[in-house]
């Protein structure tokens, strides 16, 4: 039985504002990688990635972020971004980075899904955190 209750304007705005901030952050990262800025290339090579991979990582992040931004493909984009963030966590674990570096992508992953959960009745039924 599907719930058909209306989502409050406050909840809806909260989800869109959070999603907008997340999208801006990822777009900044994607554009930095695509433009192969010194900071992006140095960051990637310091973590063991080749400088040749920076462009491709930027394109993958850009496509995933745009899919997350489009309402009809937001869940698919969220899955792709979650995978991206999982790779970030794995990279930081392999490099024995500080705990904060590992927790930060996890928090972003939670926020990605929270934005969708706040306005999607089906996802709320799948993960009923509030009764």
């Amino acid at each position: 039985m599907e719930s058909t209750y209306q989502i409050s304007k406050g909840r809806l705005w909260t989800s869109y504002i959070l999603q907008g901030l997340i999208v801006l952050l990822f777009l900044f990262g994607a554009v930095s990688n695509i433009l192969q800025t010194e900071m992006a290339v140095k960051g990637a090579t310091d973590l063991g990635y080749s400088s040749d991979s920076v462009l491709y990582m930027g394109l993958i992040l850009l496509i995933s972020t745009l899919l997350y931004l489009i309402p009809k493909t937001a869940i698919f984009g969220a899955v792709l971004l979650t995978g991206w963030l999982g790779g970030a966590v794995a990279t930081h674990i392999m490099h024995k980075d500080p705990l904060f570096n590992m927790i930060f992508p996890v928090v972003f992953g939670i926020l990605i899904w929270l934005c969708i959960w706040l306005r999607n009745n089906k996802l709320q039924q799948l993960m009923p955190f509030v009764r």
Side-chain angles (χ1 to χ4, degrees):
M1 178 177 230
E2 185 176 334
S3 174
T4 58
Y5 72 90
Q6 283 289 78
I7 295 171
S8 73
K9 285 185 181 181
R11 194 173 188 171
L12 195 61
W13 275 101
T14 300
S15 74
Y16 285 127
I17 290 168
L18 275 174
Q19 185 176 16
L21 293 172
I22 290 167
V23 165
L24 285 175
L25 181 74
F26 282 133
L27 286 177
F28 175 76
V31 170
S32 292
N33 284 358
I34 291 169
L35 296 177
Q36 298 185 24
T37 64
E38 184 179 331
M39 182 178 72
V41 173
K42 181 172 177 7
T45 55
D46 286 352
L47 290 172
Y49 294 98
S50 73
S51 59
D52 296 337
S53 66
V54 175
L55 173 64
Y56 301 112
M57 291 190 304
L59 291 171
I60 291 167
L61 183 56
L62 177 64
I63 291 166
S64 301
T65 302
L66 292 175
L67 288 170
Y68 177 63
L69 185 60
I70 300 167
K72 289 189 180 220
T73 59
I75 290 179
F76 183 55
V79 169
L80 293 175
L81 289 173
T82 303
W84 175 270
L85 293 168
V89 170
T91 298
H92 289 300
I93 289 172
M94 288 184 344
H95 287 270
K96 298 181 171 109
D97 288 337
L99 183 61
F100 176 79
N101 293 19
M102 294 174 230
I103 298 297
F104 196 69
V106 172
V107 170
F108 265 90
I110 292 167
L111 289 175
I112 283 170
W113 285 100
L114 178 65
C115 293
I116 296 173
W117 184 87
L118 284 170
R119 63 179 182 261
N120 186 305
N121 290 336
K122 290 181 182 179
L123 192 56
Q124 290 170 20
Q125 289 173 355
L126 182 63
M127 297 184 291
F129 297 118
V130 179
R131 287 266 170 198

